Amino acid sequence: MVDVETSGFHPPIAEIVEIAIVHVDPTGQVTGSWDSLIQPTGAVGATRVHGITRAMVAEAPRFEDVGRELHALLADRVVAAHNLAFDAKFLVSHFGRIGLQSPEIAGGVCTLRTSQQLLPGPSYKLQDCCDTLGIELTDAHSALGDALATARLLGFYLARGVDVGGMPVRPQASVPPPRAEAGGLFLSRSR
């Protein structure tokens, strides 16, 4: 799972100001996570949406400082996100900026697209999808909060045998709703 909070909508003008990566196993259970604020070269953007201020990122690493570590966390994995196309364009732009080829994202999993096929709508925002399915989303619009909720959403679909694309389907009988706590390894850089 990956989630980015950004200073706008269009890289390279807009930049990542926070990123979280959550690893899950083939059943969607969280096995580890990594998150960090990122110091952009420009403005932080819509603080009213993501809650990130210029002061919060003043001592945060730049993408260039953590990019290789992030690349390693995504390499050889199925990349998943809620609205993968949005997160992917920022990852491709930022990795390119430091001379790295982005890990394969095209074959990734988009829980937004899966939700659009399965849920009644009309809204498919992460919060609305989670509310519909009874999945907890804590700290909405924080990269880690959204990535953990997306992991729970993915786990919900996988446990029910939904073909999400990119991940093997391994339905489990009589699966309870996803747990709220992350469990596993937790690494936080600068929040």
Side-chain angles (χ1 to χ4, degrees), residues 111-132:
T111 57
L112 170 67
R113 299 288 172 243
T114 302
S115 296
Q116 288 173 327
Q117 295 169 6
L118 300 174
L119 301 181
S123 171
Y124 298 97
K125 293 178 183 175
L126 180 58
Q127 181 73 63
D128 295 331
C129 293
C130 288
D131 288 348
T132 297

Side-chain angles (χ1 to χ4, degrees), residues 21-93:
I21 296 174
V22 173
H23 285 173
V24 298
D25 67 18
T27 67
Q29 292 298 307
V30 173
T31 60
S33 66
W34 184 100
D35 71 296
S36 180
L37 291 170
I38 301 293
Q39 185 181 139
T41 57
V44 294
T47 297
R48 72 186 185 295
V49 175
H50 52 55
I52 298 167
T53 65
R54 189 55 148 158
M56 290 169 70
V57 298
E59 299 297 320
R62 294 192 177 277
F63 190 85
E64 292 77 4
D65 300 327
V66 296
R68 293 193 183 285
E69 183 178 0
L70 291 171
H71 193 274
L73 289 169
L74 294 171
D76 300 322
R77 292 193 172 260
V78 176
V79 178
H82 195 77
N83 195 357
L84 181 60
F86 181 82
D87 296 86
K89 71 182 177 182
F90 279 91
L91 291 172
V92 168
S93 173

